[in-house]
């Protein structure tokens, strides 16, 4: 299924900047960055639970916001994009 | 249906900052801001097409990125939130 992760991390201080880096690093491990704070991840249920737990552990729930959207398996028709594209689709094979 | 709007506007120059303000202003008219560059809008098909056209007209497609996710009518179970909350749900009545 496609899991969309969006986050706002409060980077007022150094601790916030560290949290932001950690969140992005974990998301990169699980999906592709489509915008600065938006990741699309193709995950099964177990991976989804794991990623959520990892991110919940990193963020400061009193300062940061994390939202997770479950778009299911038939997500292709549910997404539209306009403008510059940061990467390849999560389910596309990258041929080097 | 719930329409999720996420955007990255390139604010390197004054024109970019103006585009960012315009995009946010239009999104505020149609839904609620859940994160800095993420809006949830409860729209019918006609409104959705209108908003997309308005935003596509504002952004610079060579510099900015706009993504639209269609979460349908049964969106309540498709969203999870952790941390600080910026607003009320799009379909919640605000009692003053």
């Amino acid at each position: 299924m496609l899991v969309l992760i969006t986050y706002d991390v409060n980077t007022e201080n150094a601790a916030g900047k560290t949290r932001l880096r950690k969140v992005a690093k974990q998301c990169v491990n699980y999906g592709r960055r489509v915008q600065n704070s938006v990741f699309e991840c193709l995950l099964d249920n177990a991976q989804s639970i794991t990623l959520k737990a990892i991110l919940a552990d990193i963020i400061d729930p009193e300062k940061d916001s994390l939202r997770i959207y479950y778009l299911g398996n038939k997500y292709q028709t549910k997404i539209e994009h306009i403008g510059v594209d940061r990467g390849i689709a999560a389910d596309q094979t990258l041929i080097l």
Side-chain angles (χ1 to χ4, degrees), chain A:
Chain A
M1 64 176 166
L2 189 76
V3 180
L4 181 73
I5 312 269
T6 71
Y7 55 81
D8 258 355
V9 174
N10 183 321
T11 54
E12 273 176 2
N13 57 32
K17 291 187 179 89
T18 302
R19 290 198 304 280
L20 180 66
R21 273 197 301 275
K22 284 184 179 175
V23 167
K25 193 177 170 190
Q26 288 301 328
C27 287
V28 165
N29 287 340
Y30 283 87
R32 74 158 183 143
R33 188 173 227 157
V34 292
Q35 287 176 351
N36 205 26
S37 301
V38 180
F39 282 77
E40 289 178 4
C41 311
L42 274 176
L43 307 175
D44 60 29
N45 270 336
Q47 290 171 318
S48 171
I49 291 166
T50 302
L51 179 56
K52 191 172 88 173
I54 289 171
L55 297 180
D57 203 44
I58 295 171
I59 70 156
D60 180 335
E62 291 184 5
K63 292 181 179 169
D64 309 328
S65 162
L66 175 71
R67 286 181 87 81
I68 305 168
Y69 299 89
Y70 299 94
L71 282 111
N73 292 314
K74 295 179 181 171
Y75 54 85
Q76 287 90 346
T77 58
K78 298 177 186 165
I79 307 174
E80 282 189 326
H81 177 82
I82 300 170
V84 290
D85 198 350
R86 291 187 68 120
I88 55 160
D91 59 350
Q92 243 182 312
T93 306
L94 182 62
I95 300 167
L96 299 170

